[in-house]
Amino acid sequence: MSLAAAQSKKVSFRAKESTVCPICDENHQKEQMFQGGGRLIAGKLAQDLRRLYEKNRKFGRVSPLDYVMSVCPRCLYSSFPKDWSALNPADNEAIRMATDSRRSYIEKILGPLDFTGDRQIVLGAASYLLGMDCYQLRGASVAPTPKKAVCAIRAAWYFSDLHEEFPHIGYDKIRDFLYQKAAVIYGYTLELMQNGNEPVDQAAGMLGPDTDNNWGFDGVIYLNAYLTKKFKDQMAPKPEDQVLLLSRAKRTLARLYGSGKASKGKPGPIVEMTRELYDEYNAILEAMGGEK
């Protein structure tokens, strides 16, 4: 069989150059996804800005998100590729010291993992949980907060899929926890966009939240409002606190809605979804006796 024919049957390949882990010095070949060849069959865009993909008859389940995070198969250090080596000594030491707890934590959720194998749904989920854990130990210079938000919502998508495949394990509880975590971190990200305590522009190219369209800071505003509405009961149990929470999110959303109407440069899908979400906010707040 020719090389071209063999590649046409595969989803991914191993990079020729070795990747060296900055934490434990492990050498490994990063797995990357082949482009083209009819591997991806794009479906609809979900309300949480996730691009859904149809199952491919030839290749089965294919998700570009599987291959985004760089993960060391030895110490399970995980990051976006841009940040892989951008570690100061304090961050490096903190992540190295947390190796055993990181492995124990992830294996309690997903069982034993082997990142020398090909990426699939379990390793994809693990890569983002590990990313959240490692960015928790990173300094402000790499803008860890928006990156944790992206990791959280992508991990929630994975656990949504895992729950569909294995409905009796309780992955739906982890999914909902991750969505709530994303809601809180997206709120923090909005604050950082205003106070400048982290260089959030560094995360602009990876805000996604998915890989097909990078909605950037517009996506942050939209997702903050979407997740706040979805998890208002968990984020603010008291009705009066919910009104305050929703009112604050609506005001931010209103700026995105207004700029979308005024600018022809805004991508159509997010403008339309923002309009629908803004109308939902009005109805909810009116029913709760809050601002209209």
Side-chain angles (χ1 to χ4, degrees), residues 128-142:
Y128 290 103
L129 286 181
L130 290 167
M132 287 177 65
D133 189 68
C134 289
Y135 275 110
Q136 189 70 31
L137 301 172
R138 303 291 294 264
S141 63
V142 297

Side-chain angles (χ1 to χ4, degrees), residues 42-53 153 157 160-161 179 209-210 212-213 215 222-223 226 230 269-270 273-274 276:
K44 68 178 183 176
L45 182 67
Q47 266 196 305
D48 55 6
L49 302 184
R50 181 188 187 185
R51 175 63 66 189
L52 301 174
Y53 293 97
I153 197 164
W157 296 343
S160 178
D161 293 346
Y179 268 126
D210 214 326
D212 69 326
N213 281 304
W215 304 107
Y222 171 86
L223 281 170
Y226 172 79
K230 187 177 177 68
I270 200 166
M273 293 170 78
T274 298
E276 292 174 359

